[in-house]
Amino acid sequence: MTQRQVQMRLGTGALLVAIFLIIYAIPQWVSSPSNVGNIILSPLFWPYALAGFTGLAGLGLIFSGVRMAPDGPRVDAPCDTPGLAWLRLAGMAAIMVVTMVLLPRLGMVLTCMLVFLASAFLVRTRHPVTAVVCAVIIPLVLYAFFAHIAGVAIPQGEILRLP
């Protein structure tokens, strides 16, 4: 299987999932009161937003697949070191266990920062600076939105208390 085929299949799958969510799953399984004042606080907003982002990602994958050469490099060639895949799987399991241990102690925001960093470096990101910036900014922005705009309490840790 070539990289182009992978892009096209992933894009088609993401697009089909988004269409299923928008047309059937969200209207059928997510209920919302009719008198929600703020659209962002509606139970329907975030499922539709995530379905839309999934559809956009699918379209992006399809578009990039169309632009690739049809006879590009193969991605299903046997690996020289299959033991590294098992080691990464064990590393991800360890990150998950450490996440559950750290959540009550450090709080959700700081734990998410550390888990994001650990996961990015476990999979050997090609963009380490971007990973560090995103690991810090994304949890802080999400905390600011949910704690200060949506009014949802985010679990705080024993070490760090955010305003």
PDB file of all heavy atoms in Angstrom, residues 143-159:
ATOM      1  N   TYR A 143      -8.344  25.270  29.631  1.00  0.00           N
ATOM      2  CA  TYR A 143      -8.687  25.590  31.018  1.00  0.00           C
ATOM      3  C   TYR A 143      -9.358  26.957  31.099  1.00  0.00           C
ATOM      4  O   TYR A 143     -10.382  27.122  31.767  1.00  0.00           O
ATOM      5  CB  TYR A 143      -7.439  25.578  31.908  1.00  0.00           C
ATOM      6  CG  TYR A 143      -7.713  26.144  33.270  1.00  0.00           C
ATOM      7  CD1 TYR A 143      -8.380  25.391  34.222  1.00  0.00           C
ATOM      8  CD2 TYR A 143      -7.351  27.449  33.593  1.00  0.00           C
ATOM      9  CE1 TYR A 143      -8.663  25.913  35.478  1.00  0.00           C
ATOM     10  CE2 TYR A 143      -7.628  27.982  34.829  1.00  0.00           C
ATOM     11  CZ  TYR A 143      -8.284  27.214  35.770  1.00  0.00           C
ATOM     12  OH  TYR A 143      -8.579  27.735  36.992  1.00  0.00           O
ATOM     13  N   ALA A 144      -8.791  27.940  30.429  1.00  0.00           N
ATOM     14  CA  ALA A 144      -9.366  29.290  30.467  1.00  0.00           C
ATOM     15  C   ALA A 144     -10.784  29.286  29.919  1.00  0.00           C
ATOM     16  O   ALA A 144     -11.679  29.920  30.494  1.00  0.00           O
ATOM     17  CB  ALA A 144      -8.490  30.257  29.675  1.00  0.00           C
ATOM     18  N   PHE A 145     -11.005  28.564  28.821  1.00  0.00           N
ATOM     19  CA  PHE A 145     -12.355  28.526  28.258  1.00  0.00           C
ATOM     20  C   PHE A 145     -13.335  27.859  29.218  1.00  0.00           C
ATOM     21  O   PHE A 145     -14.377  28.421  29.547  1.00  0.00           O
ATOM     22  CB  PHE A 145     -12.372  27.795  26.912  1.00  0.00           C
ATOM     23  CG  PHE A 145     -13.765  27.550  26.416  1.00  0.00           C
ATOM     24  CD1 PHE A 145     -14.488  28.575  25.837  1.00  0.00           C
ATOM     25  CD2 PHE A 145     -14.359  26.306  26.555  1.00  0.00           C
ATOM     26  CE1 PHE A 145     -15.783  28.368  25.397  1.00  0.00           C
ATOM     27  CE2 PHE A 145     -15.649  26.086  26.126  1.00  0.00           C
ATOM     28  CZ  PHE A 145     -16.367  27.119  25.541  1.00  0.00           C
ATOM     29  N   PHE A 146     -13.009  26.642  29.638  1.00  0.00           N
ATOM     30  CA  PHE A 146     -13.975  25.897  30.448  1.00  0.00           C
ATOM     31  C   PHE A 146     -14.159  26.485  31.841  1.00  0.00           C
ATOM     32  O   PHE A 146     -15.261  26.503  32.372  1.00  0.00           O
ATOM     33  CB  PHE A 146     -13.587  24.420  30.525  1.00  0.00           C
ATOM     34  CG  PHE A 146     -13.927  23.667  29.281  1.00  0.00           C
ATOM     35  CD1 PHE A 146     -12.939  23.283  28.402  1.00  0.00           C
ATOM     36  CD2 PHE A 146     -15.241  23.375  28.969  1.00  0.00           C
ATOM     37  CE1 PHE A 146     -13.254  22.597  27.237  1.00  0.00           C
ATOM     38  CE2 PHE A 146     -15.567  22.698  27.810  1.00  0.00           C
ATOM     39  CZ  PHE A 146     -14.571  22.300  26.939  1.00  0.00           C
ATOM     40  N   ALA A 147     -13.096  26.976  32.450  1.00  0.00           N
ATOM     41  CA  ALA A 147     -13.215  27.503  33.810  1.00  0.00           C
ATOM     42  C   ALA A 147     -13.815  28.892  33.845  1.00  0.00           C
ATOM     43  O   ALA A 147     -14.610  29.200  34.731  1.00  0.00           O
ATOM     44  CB  ALA A 147     -11.845  27.503  34.484  1.00  0.00           C
ATOM     45  N   HIS A 148     -13.469  29.741  32.882  1.00  0.00           N
ATOM     46  CA  HIS A 148     -13.878  31.142  32.969  1.00  0.00           C
ATOM     47  C   HIS A 148     -15.035  31.516  32.044  1.00  0.00           C
ATOM     48  O   HIS A 148     -15.770  32.449  32.344  1.00  0.00           O
ATOM     49  CB  HIS A 148     -12.684  32.052  32.707  1.00  0.00           C
ATOM     50  CG  HIS A 148     -11.586  31.863  33.717  1.00  0.00           C
ATOM     51  ND1 HIS A 148     -11.732  32.204  35.040  1.00  0.00           N
ATOM     52  CD2 HIS A 148     -10.348  31.317  33.602  1.00  0.00           C
ATOM     53  CE1 HIS A 148     -10.627  31.907  35.704  1.00  0.00           C
ATOM     54  NE2 HIS A 148      -9.765  31.373  34.847  1.00  0.00           N
ATOM     55  N   ILE A 149     -15.191  30.823  30.938  1.00  0.00           N
ATOM     56  CA  ILE A 149     -16.279  31.158  30.016  1.00  0.00           C
ATOM     57  C   ILE A 149     -17.461  30.209  30.204  1.00  0.00           C
ATOM     58  O   ILE A 149     -18.593  30.638  30.373  1.00  0.00           O
ATOM     59  CB  ILE A 149     -15.788  31.138  28.552  1.00  0.00           C
ATOM     60  CG1 ILE A 149     -14.739  32.227  28.357  1.00  0.00           C
ATOM     61  CG2 ILE A 149     -16.950  31.323  27.584  1.00  0.00           C
ATOM     62  CD1 ILE A 149     -14.050  32.198  27.027  1.00  0.00           C
ATOM     63  N   ALA A 150     -17.177  28.895  30.189  1.00  0.00           N
ATOM     64  CA  ALA A 150     -18.258  27.918  30.315  1.00  0.00           C
ATOM     65  C   ALA A 150     -18.657  27.679  31.770  1.00  0.00           C
ATOM     66  O   ALA A 150     -19.716  27.132  32.030  1.00  0.00           O
ATOM     67  CB  ALA A 150     -17.852  26.599  29.667  1.00  0.00           C
ATOM     68  N   GLY A 151     -17.812  28.055  32.720  1.00  0.00           N
ATOM     69  CA  GLY A 151     -18.135  27.887  34.125  1.00  0.00           C
ATOM     70  C   GLY A 151     -18.063  26.454  34.605  1.00  0.00           C
ATOM     71  O   GLY A 151     -18.764  26.062  35.539  1.00  0.00           O
ATOM     72  N   VAL A 152     -17.219  25.645  33.985  1.00  0.00           N
ATOM     73  CA  VAL A 152     -17.054  24.241  34.369  1.00  0.00           C
ATOM     74  C   VAL A 152     -15.820  24.130  35.252  1.00  0.00           C
ATOM     75  O   VAL A 152     -14.757  24.633  34.910  1.00  0.00           O
ATOM     76  CB  VAL A 152     -16.897  23.354  33.116  1.00  0.00           C
ATOM     77  CG1 VAL A 152     -16.635  21.908  33.492  1.00  0.00           C
ATOM     78  CG2 VAL A 152     -18.115  23.465  32.223  1.00  0.00           C
ATOM     79  N   ALA A 153     -15.965  23.458  36.374  1.00  0.00           N
ATOM     80  CA  ALA A 153     -14.837  23.297  37.290  1.00  0.00           C
ATOM     81  C   ALA A 153     -13.857  22.265  36.722  1.00  0.00           C
ATOM     82  O   ALA A 153     -14.229  21.143  36.419  1.00  0.00           O
ATOM     83  CB  ALA A 153     -15.326  22.854  38.655  1.00  0.00           C
ATOM     84  N   ILE A 154     -12.620  22.668  36.586  1.00  0.00           N
ATOM     85  CA  ILE A 154     -11.557  21.782  36.117  1.00  0.00           C
ATOM     86  C   ILE A 154     -10.795  21.307  37.349  1.00  0.00           C
ATOM     87  O   ILE A 154     -10.407  22.124  38.191  1.00  0.00           O
ATOM     88  CB  ILE A 154     -10.602  22.522  35.155  1.00  0.00           C
ATOM     89  CG1 ILE A 154     -11.357  23.099  33.972  1.00  0.00           C
ATOM     90  CG2 ILE A 154      -9.476  21.617  34.686  1.00  0.00           C
ATOM     91  CD1 ILE A 154     -12.014  22.077  33.080  1.00  0.00           C
ATOM     92  N   PRO A 155     -10.559  19.997  37.469  1.00  0.00           N
ATOM     93  CA  PRO A 155      -9.855  19.495  38.653  1.00  0.00           C
ATOM     94  C   PRO A 155      -8.474  20.112  38.822  1.00  0.00           C
ATOM     95  O   PRO A 155      -7.670  20.131  37.898  1.00  0.00           O
ATOM     96  CB  PRO A 155      -9.739  17.986  38.384  1.00  0.00           C
ATOM     97  CG  PRO A 155     -10.821  17.683  37.415  1.00  0.00           C
ATOM     98  CD  PRO A 155     -11.002  18.909  36.583  1.00  0.00           C
ATOM     99  N   GLN A 156      -8.246  20.667  40.005  1.00  0.00           N
ATOM    100  CA  GLN A 156      -6.970  21.273  40.345  1.00  0.00           C
ATOM    101  C   GLN A 156      -6.163  20.284  41.180  1.00  0.00           C
ATOM    102  O   GLN A 156      -6.714  19.449  41.874  1.00  0.00           O
ATOM    103  CB  GLN A 156      -7.186  22.550  41.151  1.00  0.00           C
ATOM    104  CG  GLN A 156      -7.981  23.608  40.428  1.00  0.00           C
ATOM    105  CD  GLN A 156      -7.174  24.304  39.367  1.00  0.00           C
ATOM    106  OE1 GLN A 156      -5.991  24.527  39.523  1.00  0.00           O
ATOM    107  NE2 GLN A 156      -7.807  24.649  38.272  1.00  0.00           N
ATOM    108  N   GLY A 157      -4.867  20.408  41.127  1.00  0.00           N
ATOM    109  CA  GLY A 157      -4.007  19.515  41.873  1.00  0.00           C
ATOM    110  C   GLY A 157      -3.628  20.068  43.232  1.00  0.00           C
ATOM    111  O   GLY A 157      -4.018  21.168  43.623  1.00  0.00           O
ATOM    112  N   GLU A 158      -2.840  19.293  43.952  1.00  0.00           N
ATOM    113  CA  GLU A 158      -2.375  19.709  45.279  1.00  0.00           C
ATOM    114  C   GLU A 158      -1.190  20.668  45.167  1.00  0.00           C
ATOM    115  O   GLU A 158      -0.955  21.464  46.047  1.00  0.00           O
ATOM    116  CB  GLU A 158      -1.961  18.468  46.078  1.00  0.00           C
ATOM    117  CG  GLU A 158      -3.094  17.487  46.285  1.00  0.00           C
ATOM    118  CD  GLU A 158      -2.604  16.129  46.779  1.00  0.00           C
ATOM    119  OE1 GLU A 158      -1.374  15.964  46.965  1.00  0.00           O
ATOM    120  OE2 GLU A 158      -3.437  15.255  46.965  1.00  0.00           O
ATOM    121  N   ILE A 159      -0.461  20.600  44.066  1.00  0.00           N
ATOM    122  CA  ILE A 159       0.752  21.388  43.909  1.00  0.00           C
ATOM    123  C   ILE A 159       0.476  22.759  43.291  1.00  0.00           C
ATOM    124  O   ILE A 159       1.004  23.768  43.743  1.00  0.00           O
ATOM    125  CB  ILE A 159       1.781  20.610  43.043  1.00  0.00           C
ATOM    126  CG1 ILE A 159       2.186  19.339  43.773  1.00  0.00           C
ATOM    127  CG2 ILE A 159       2.976  21.471  42.711  1.00  0.00           C
ATOM    128  CD1 ILE A 159       3.069  18.441  42.971  1.00  0.00           C
TER     129      ILE A 159
END
